[in-house]
Each structure stands twice: as structure tokens, then as C-alpha cells.
Amino acid sequence: CFFFSSRRRHTRQRSVSWARRCVQETGTWGFLKIQMEGSTYYLIGDIGGTNARFTLKKIAKSDKKNKAVVKEGVLTTVDYPSLDAALEKFLSDYIGKPEYPKYVCIGIAGPVDGDKVKITNAHWPEVSIAAIKVKLHFDEFFMLNDFEANGYGVLAMPSTMYTPITTNVQIEGKPKILLGTGTGLGECIVTKSPDSPNYVVFPCEGGHVDFAAKDEMEFGFMQYVKKTLKIHRVSCERCCCGLAIPLMYNYLYILEKKIGLPDSPFHKKIQENLEFLLALLEKDPKNEIVNKKIDEVNKQIFPAGLSKEDSLCQRTVEMFASLYGAETGNFALKTLPFGGIYLLSTITLKLKDHIMKERSFLDAFLAKGRMSPLLAKMPIYIVDQDIGQLGAEEFVVRHIKQPTILRNFILKKKKKKKKK
């Protein structure tokens, strides 16, 4: 048996001598048992614009299906100056202990390109993967785009974790796509080659394509967003994310005031929060409390709109669902995902009953002219739970290495079989 624990010759010789001694004393299988005993600890995380979710787990060396949670928790991103500060806080009880993780995989809201990573909506400084790996003493440190992590999550989740919107059945081997609206608008493609047994996940930044208005109302909203946020270009994400909801509500409110409609009792309840948010966006749109204020306003608008308690909130929900459906249809036309369209995120779950019972989402999804019959054949699902950590776990477990001595033993056995 060859145990390559180091490139240095003398260390390698000591390792081989130790391995031979163990084999002599315990036999080959006894030696392999020694190598496989115990657990490997790993950390998985999912970081959005508002929250950072972490879970520390252990996995048996002898069986990758045998996993157990050691610690889990949710940290608010604005409470920490950087990603490494949040990680240090979460792992502070395990520094210098066996439970300190060797492998770490974090899904983040933003593009991952090389070593430097910018977390788009969390107001944290740019991250260096290599620097954090060294600073926090990890053996392996991976960062995935949050929708890449969700892509792996779709591959790992059971059917009990999603709800079908249409009756269409997914076709095995065909592409899958993911969309999710929350702090931003995330998109991801999952596909595989006919020659490969496994799907491959491709993250993308499709939410940042140009917003395409379909009618005068949507064009007016695009102009309002451009003016309010003082930007020269409006992306699809700007009109189909958490921030879009209070902006959409206020845009529709302005249109109602122009034709002389009186304020509703609900508007008087929301007015103070809404005006504070709009003033904040005008002065400092990158202020740390913007996301908190958006959540507060949305928690008022959504229930009133979904229950049809307030007509203006109802129109806001319908318009938002329509824009979401239109972008889902656009993405589907570019990828032909007969393997399934998966909708996820917090806002998607809030809209779930509306999407399933009303027509605003599906009508906009199908409104693609001659291509409507093609889209009508595609299966659509709503993912009922957060799968970011499930995907990060699927990814990191694939990279947890078996002990070197076991890998070499298995390879040796395979070579013997081939010779026979």
C-alpha cells in the first residue's frame, strides 16, 4: 500500500513504513478499517442579501450517506462587516476542536469568477477565496453562485419538496432551469450530455438582462424605476425583485391619484413606511437598512393583495406575478427546459397560492405568440423549501476525499479486474 501524505520523500517513506506495520498487525481490511473510522466535519452555507444561513455537519468516512447536524443557525448580514467575520462568529465554539470543519461550501448571491467574489446584495467587501481558506484554516473552501447551489439542490431534493403547477411530466435528460425572485432575481441552467450520467449546473446572471416592457403600463413603470433609482438602464431584476413591489405599488398609486381616486384606508397604514423607504432610496440606495425597510413594506402589501383586501395591493401582486411569468417564459424559450422549470425563493412561496389559482403568472408565461403551444408542454414546479444548503452539501460531499490509502487500494483492485 502506498500512502502519499506528502511530496517530501522522507515523510512518504515514514508513511509507507507505518502502513506496512499496520497491515502486518491488523491485516489489510483491519488497516482499511482504521483509515475509515471516525467522521469528517464540513460546513455548508447559503448567503443572500439579508440572511446568512450556516450548518455544521459531520459525515462518516465509511458511508457518505451517514450525515448528522452538529450546529445550524441564521445570521443577519448587516450585523457583520464581512463574510469571514460571520464565519468566525458561527465557528467560534469549535476553534481548535475536532468539530472544526475541513471542508466548506458557501452559496452566495452574486457571480463567482476566479478567486475574487463580490456578494451582490449583502453590502460586504469583495471576498478572496484563497485568503479565507488560509485565514480560517480550511482544507477546502468553495464558493458557489447561490443559484448554482440551488441547481445542485434540485438534483438532490426529493419530490416531496416541490409542488407541480402544471400537469406536464418532466423528460429525463432534458435541460432544467431555475428562477427565484427575492432580494434579486436569480437564474440557473441545469443540463447534461447524452454521454454523461450526471447533470451539470451552469450559473448565469440572466436576471440582469434588459427589461422588456410589453405594454404602456409596464413601459411607464420602467420609466418610473429609472427616475426613482436614478439609473440609465433598467434590468429585468429591477422590475422583478423585492424592491420592485413597493415601487410598483407607489407607481400604481400615482396613476390612481392622477384620475382623482381617493386614498384607501390601507394606504394610510402603509404611507409612513413607504415614504420613508422612498426617501431613503433617493438619498442613499445602498444604505444598510434599505433591505429591512423593503421587507417591512412587502409584509404589508402582500397579505392585503393576496387576500384582495385592498384593490391597489391586489393590482400590485397581479402585475408583479405577470412580470415574473413573462421572464420565466423568456428564459424557457432560450433553454427549452423539458426537464422542468423550478421556481423558488421567499417571494415565490408568498405568491404560491396566487400562481396556482389565478392566471396572471401563467398567462404572461404563455404569451409568446407562435411559441405558446411549445411553452404549454413544459412542466413547472414551485420549490417549497430552501434548497441552497442542500445544494451546497451535494457539491461539497462530492469533493470530500476518501482516505488516500483506501483510494489506492480500490484503484489497485480495479486494475487487477481489468487484467483478468
Side-chain angles (χ1 to χ4, degrees):
C1 293
F2 297 97
F3 182 59
F4 295 103
S5 63
S6 169
R7 292 183 182 179
R8 297 191 179 189
R9 186 177 177 182
H10 67 279
T11 305
R12 188 163 65 244
Q13 287 173 343
R14 285 202 305 270
S15 299
V16 171
S17 298
W18 173 82
R20 284 173 179 161
R21 200 162 56 246
C22 284
V23 171
Q24 288 169 2
E25 293 175 6
T26 66
T28 303
W29 289 111
F31 173 63
L32 293 177
K33 184 179 178 183
I34 290 170
Q35 292 297 297
M36 293 302 289
E37 282 177 347
S39 300
T40 297
Y41 290 84
Y42 61 94
L43 176 72
I44 51 177
D46 178 28
I47 300 173
T50 307
N51 296 316
R53 298 174 178 85
F54 297 118
T55 303
L56 178 63
K57 302 185 81 171
K58 67 177 180 178
I59 184 170
K61 289 181 181 179
S62 58
D63 181 8
K64 284 190 176 182
K65 293 182 180 179
N66 187 1
K67 307 167 190 172
V69 174
V70 177
K71 179 185 177 181
E72 55 187 349
V74 180
L75 305 181
T76 304
T77 55
V78 296
D79 293 337
Y80 300 90
S82 62
L83 172 59
D84 49 311
L87 285 168
E88 284 179 312
K89 173 64 178 176
F90 184 80
L91 294 171
S92 58
D93 295 336
Y94 302 100
I95 295 173
K97 296 181 180 179
E99 294 87 354
Y100 194 81
K102 290 184 176 182
Y103 298 86
V104 178
C105 184
I106 305 292
I108 59 104
V112 178
D113 184 16
D115 179 62
K116 302 295 184 182
V117 179
K118 176 62 180 172
I119 304 175
T120 308
N121 296 315
H123 308 300
W124 277 348
E126 189 175 63
V127 171
S128 167
I129 296 174
I132 290 182
K133 178 181 175 181
V134 172
K135 180 180 179 181
L136 299 182
H137 308 289
F138 300 136
D139 285 7
E140 295 287 355
F141 181 58
F142 304 102
M143 294 193 74
L144 306 178
N145 169 273
D146 57 346
F147 262 71
E148 183 178 4
N150 284 325
Y152 284 105
V154 162
L155 298 176
M157 70 179 179
S159 59
T160 54
M161 291 181 69
Y162 56 85
T163 303
I165 296 175
T166 63
T167 56
N168 300 322
V169 179
Q170 58 182 282
I171 301 173
E172 180 59 32
K174 294 296 183 180
K176 305 174 187 287
I177 61 172
L178 289 76
L179 296 94
T181 173
T183 308
L185 175 63
E187 297 182 358
C188 177
I189 306 166
V190 184
T191 186
K192 77 172 184 177
S193 161
D195 302 321
S196 171
N198 298 318
Y199 274 92
V200 180
V201 179
F202 294 95
C204 69
E205 294 297 330
H208 294 279
V209 300
D210 297 331
F211 174 71
K214 302 188 298 296
D215 54 36
E216 189 176 341
M217 177 79 74
E218 291 181 5
F219 182 79
F221 177 59
M222 181 184 70
Q223 295 295 98
Y224 171 76
V225 170
K226 188 184 291 187
K227 181 181 177 183
T228 304
L229 300 182
K230 298 178 181 177
I231 53 179
H232 301 291
R233 170 188 173 273
V234 179
S235 67
C236 192
E237 179 177 87
R238 296 281 192 184
C239 299
C240 200
C241 68
L243 173 59
I245 295 163
L247 293 180
M248 201 173 290
Y249 174 91
N250 199 54
Y251 166 68
L252 294 173
Y253 170 74
I254 291 170
L255 294 183
E256 285 195 353
K257 293 299 289 182
K258 283 183 178 179
I259 59 175
L261 293 178
D263 292 354
S264 67
F266 175 82
H267 182 76
K268 293 173 183 177
K269 295 178 187 177
I270 198 178
Q271 190 170 9
E272 184 178 345
N273 259 345
L274 183 62
E275 288 178 355
F276 181 84
L277 173 61
L278 293 171
L280 199 61
L281 288 171
E282 185 175 351
K283 293 178 182 177
D284 184 12
K286 294 185 178 180
N287 192 295
E288 292 180 348
I289 65 171
V290 166
N291 284 337
K292 284 188 175 180
K293 279 295 170 185
I294 291 170
D295 288 341
E296 286 178 16
V297 175
N298 288 349
K299 283 177 182 177
Q300 291 178 291
I301 293 174
F302 264 114
L306 294 170
S307 65
K308 301 181 181 179
E309 172 193 340
D310 180 79
S311 61
L312 191 54
C313 291
Q314 183 182 346
R315 289 178 62 200
T316 301
V317 168
E318 288 172 351
M319 184 174 179
F320 186 87
S322 176
L323 295 183
Y324 192 18
E327 173 56 15
T328 303
N330 290 338
F331 195 23
L333 281 179
K334 295 170 184 175
T335 52
L336 300 181
F338 289 100
I341 299 169
Y342 296 86
L343 308 175
L344 60 162
S345 78
T346 51
I347 292 179
T348 302
L349 290 177
K350 289 176 183 176
L351 285 171
K352 180 178 178 179
D353 288 343
H354 180 85
I355 290 173
M356 297 187 72
K357 295 176 183 178
E358 307 294 337
R359 292 295 308 178
S360 49
F361 177 90
L362 282 175
D363 284 349
F365 172 77
L366 294 170
K368 303 300 178 188
R370 291 168 292 172
M371 292 294 105
S372 294
L374 184 69
L375 291 174
K377 298 175 183 177
M378 295 178 183
I380 307 176
Y381 309 95
I382 291 180
V383 179
D384 296 319
Q385 299 178 38
D386 183 4
I387 59 171
Q389 284 200 28
L390 182 66
E393 180 173 29
E394 172 72 13
F395 182 88
V396 78
V397 167
R398 290 184 184 186
H399 288 79
I400 292 178
K401 298 174 182 177
Q402 294 171 316
T404 309
I405 193 70
L406 178 66
R407 291 204 311 276
N408 290 341
F409 181 80
I410 292 170
L411 289 171
K412 192 174 179 181
K413 285 285 186 184
K414 285 182 177 178
K415 285 180 181 178
K416 283 185 179 180
K417 285 182 179 179
K418 284 182 180 179
K419 286 181 180 179
K420 289 178 181 179

